[in-house]
Amino acid sequence: MRDSTQQKNFLLLPMKLVGKWRKWAIAILGLFIFFGMWRTGTNFVAEITTFFRIEMKQPEVNITTVIVEKIRGASELTTAIYTTETVVPTHQDRELMGTFQFRTKMLYIAYGEVEAGIDLSQLTTKNVKIVDNILYIQLPAPQILDANIDVTRSRIYDYDRGAFNLGPDVAAELQTLAQQTTLKKIVAGACEQGLLEEANDRAKLAITQLLNLAGHERVEVTTTPPYLKTCQ
């Protein structure tokens, strides 16, 4: 029994020592504070407050990111539209007994529209820089954003199945073919008429005005030439 009591007291000894050291540490800290206040008065409190004070840094704004987001707000900038009305001839043949050939012909008047512009979602911070208080913007290349046939204004002008109507009755097929051919023709025609270059010029003006209204007085906007494959 005596051995167990001695063992228990031995185990409690470190805890008692820790408790005593804690009391001594508190007492020393108190003396330090009292001595500091006696020597420096209120300056000591100010120094302690300054030591533990957390300084807040001034918030910083990445101006190029803000500008990119502002321009992207316009999403797709449709800057030029090309419209045309064209007559598209189509036909389809049918042979009878390998000798006689009968042809069905259609003339389709198609009204088409092509929109060209800049996809501003492609703009990144790499396209924006500020040098000597001048804001430089490099726009992405113009694209064909949309090409469509206005079916409400388009119509079949003539549909002829030949003598005795022996040509194949393929009105729906020839109309679809005419519309597909028209889309290719109007895109090619729009490119030949300089639609993409016009889209670049108008986008440059629009972005310059947008940034001027946002408070950027000195703005230089440059465009990217259209890619060759855009019109192919």
Side-chain angles (χ1 to χ4, degrees):
M1 179 67 71
R2 184 178 178 182
D3 293 340
S4 61
T5 302
Q6 290 179 348
Q7 184 178 5
K8 183 176 181 182
N9 292 335
F10 179 76
L11 294 173
L12 292 174
L13 181 60
M15 298 179 64
K16 292 179 181 180
L17 292 175
V18 170
K20 289 181 179 181
W21 277 110
R22 183 180 299 171
K23 292 178 181 179
W24 278 106
I26 294 173
I28 293 172
L29 179 61
L31 288 173
F32 171 74
I33 295 174
F34 175 78
F35 180 74
M37 293 181 65
W38 176 71
R39 290 290 302 272
T40 62
T42 56
N43 290 336
F44 179 77
V45 177
E47 291 176 2
I48 293 297
T49 304
T50 302
F51 180 77
F52 288 102
R53 185 174 59 196
I54 300 176
E55 293 187 4
M56 298 295 292
K57 298 292 185 180
Q58 288 294 328
E60 297 180 358
V61 178
N62 189 334
I63 186 64
T64 57
T65 301
V66 173
I67 292 171
V68 168
E69 293 301 323
K70 187 177 297 182
I71 296 175
R72 280 181 176 177
S75 187
E76 288 183 352
L77 182 63
T78 302
T79 55
I81 298 177
Y82 172 83
T83 59
T84 185
E85 187 176 73
T86 182
V87 178
V88 183
T90 59
H91 69 272
Q92 184 170 333
D93 297 331
R94 178 172 66 179
E95 289 186 355
L96 181 62
M97 295 183 295
T99 303
F100 301 100
Q101 188 173 29
F102 302 94
R103 171 170 292 185
T104 297
K105 297 182 292 182
M106 175 186 286
L107 288 178
Y108 187 75
I109 299 179
Y111 185 90
E113 183 176 275
V114 182
E115 295 181 4
I118 309 295
D119 184 1
L120 297 177
S121 65
Q122 297 180 356
L123 196 73
T124 68
T125 54
K126 295 180 180 179
N127 305 114
V128 180
K129 62 181 180 179
I130 301 175
V131 180
D132 296 332
N133 294 324
I134 302 176
L135 176 59
Y136 293 92
I137 307 290
Q138 175 74 48
L139 294 179
Q143 303 178 20
I144 301 297
L145 300 178
D146 192 21
N148 61 79
I149 302 297
D150 187 345
V151 295
T152 62
R153 301 176 64 177
S154 303
R155 65 190 187 277
I156 296 174
Y157 179 75
D158 183 54
Y159 180 66
D160 183 10
R161 296 179 60 191
F164 306 106
N165 287 332
L166 293 177
D169 189 8
V170 287
E173 291 84 349
L174 291 180
Q175 181 174 342
T176 299
L177 177 61
Q179 291 173 346
Q180 293 173 346
T181 303
T182 300
L183 283 177
K184 295 178 181 179
K185 289 181 65 175
I186 64 173
V187 170
C191 291
E192 291 175 1
Q193 295 297 320
L195 185 69
L196 294 173
E197 289 76 8
E198 182 182 351
N200 258 347
D201 294 339
R202 294 192 178 185
K204 179 178 180 178
L205 178 62
I207 296 301
T208 301
Q209 292 177 342
L210 173 67
L211 294 173
N212 287 157
L213 291 173
H216 303 282
E217 297 181 356
R218 304 176 67 186
V219 179
E220 293 288 340
V221 179
T222 56
T223 59
T224 301
Y227 300 128
L228 293 177
K229 64 179 181 180
T230 302
C231 290
Q232 293 178 352

